[in-house]
Amino acid sequence: MNDSTHESTVPTAVRILAAAEEVFAESGYAGARVDEIARRAGVNKAMLYYHVGDKAALYGGVLRTYFQLLAGKLADALAGSEDPRERLRRLQVAFADTAIVHPHFPQIMLREIAAGGANLPLEALQGMGRFMSATREVVEDGCARGVFRADVEPLLTHVMVVGSVVFAANGLRLLTRLAEAGVATPEVPYDLPEIARLANDIILNGITSEGVTS
Amino acid sequence: MNDSTHESTVPTAVRILAAAEEVFAESGYAGARVDEIARRAGVNKAMLYYHVGDKAALYGGVLRTYFQLLAGKLADALAGSEDPRERLRRLQVAFADTAIVHPHFPQIMLREIAAGGANLPLEALQGMGRFMSATREVVEDGCARGVFRADVEPLLTHVMVVGSVVFAANGLRLLTRLAEAGVATPEVPYDLPEIARLANDIILNGITSEGVTS
DNA sequence: GTCTATATACCGATAGAC
DNA sequence: GTCTATCGGTATATAGAC
């Protein structure tokens, strides 16, 4: 314990990764500048390479944080209920919560989807695979129990559950830009958890078998 | 009329823009290399600047093609029916059709959403604004007629309608990458129009008032 | 209209002094 | 651990000959 400021107590590697997260989100992997990351972290560029490593190591370190948190929340979500509708809702909440703790996560994911995952290390690809498998498990279980319609596609369900959160999380920046340019935009009278809840209502309402009530 | 091959009859500017479309989709605005665009178009870099202009002009030219086609299809979709459910379906089909004619369109849009529209010229921003307004008009009309639930959010509806198509259109590359890395992936037994139809069924089912039947 | 050559600037990464 | 200086490569964009 000493009298140093909060900033100085944060390990250098953590400050570097926090800066990397910002820059990768804003500019993408190709567009990100290592000099800019070092500048925002308040460290010399040589120190950045000393503490964390090259550009790929910076990116991998950022992604590891995201997928470790998401994996834990997904496991809790699956274990927390037996009802397929409740489990699907919890799956979406787990992802939305991760996006709230790490606001740059959906932005970086959006860029990677566009890039076809070209920059993603194996660890991140496996994390995405586990997420898709979790959704598939919930959907197939729900179909088998007769709660969801038998023709519900697991992958489309995943796309709609995740996509609505990812788009909603990224939409505000675009709406701000549209407003700056003088383009009329619809109002956004709700926050991310609320959007996730509304989207989940629509999806559940859309895939639930007739006759099943909550 | 002469005996020249098809390739030589295509105007130089068109070939340049076609190459630009590819490279911008693959690498994003920041990551795109003008040299690479010139190489793929089969023209000298100086000629590229002579015929089309700088990087921003290349990007604007690509986007203009997209939004001009989309605007026409949206107008047809809105004018083609009075039924809110049918109009919302036509709106999604209009976008999906545009994405099928121009497969790089959803990829570039995904990158721009991540970038908050930072690279978009005013013309493209206005095109997006008109699209959002079209969805809002259909949703508000549907709510007023009692076809859609009164609490349906226009912007969330737009996000789900557009997002499902954009994600589906971009998903195949990511699934391919996952398979390459040995990560298990769900099957994809349908094409883009089919996905759009299934997503639209879920959304319409989710937002339609009880008691309304098709 | 077409090309070569280049100006100008920047980037990722490291060597080497301290 | 920390910094300065720099290497080697590459980017956008243009000048100027033909």
Side-chain angles (χ1 to χ4, degrees), chain B residues 126-138:
Chain B
Q126 289 170 336
M128 296 186 63
R130 274 186 237 110
F131 191 8
M132 289 192 298
S133 295
T135 306
R136 183 180 52 187
E137 184 189 318
V138 170

Side-chain angles (χ1 to χ4, degrees), chain A residues 32-35 45 49 55:
Chain A
R33 303 298 155 205
V34 176
D35 292 78
K45 185 166 61 165
Y49 279 92
K55 198 176 184 178

Side-chain angles (χ1 to χ4, degrees), chain A residues 170-184:
Chain A
N170 283 280
L172 195 56
R173 277 188 312 279
L174 186 58
L175 290 173
T176 304
R177 174 88 168 90
L178 286 165
E180 281 172 7
V183 176

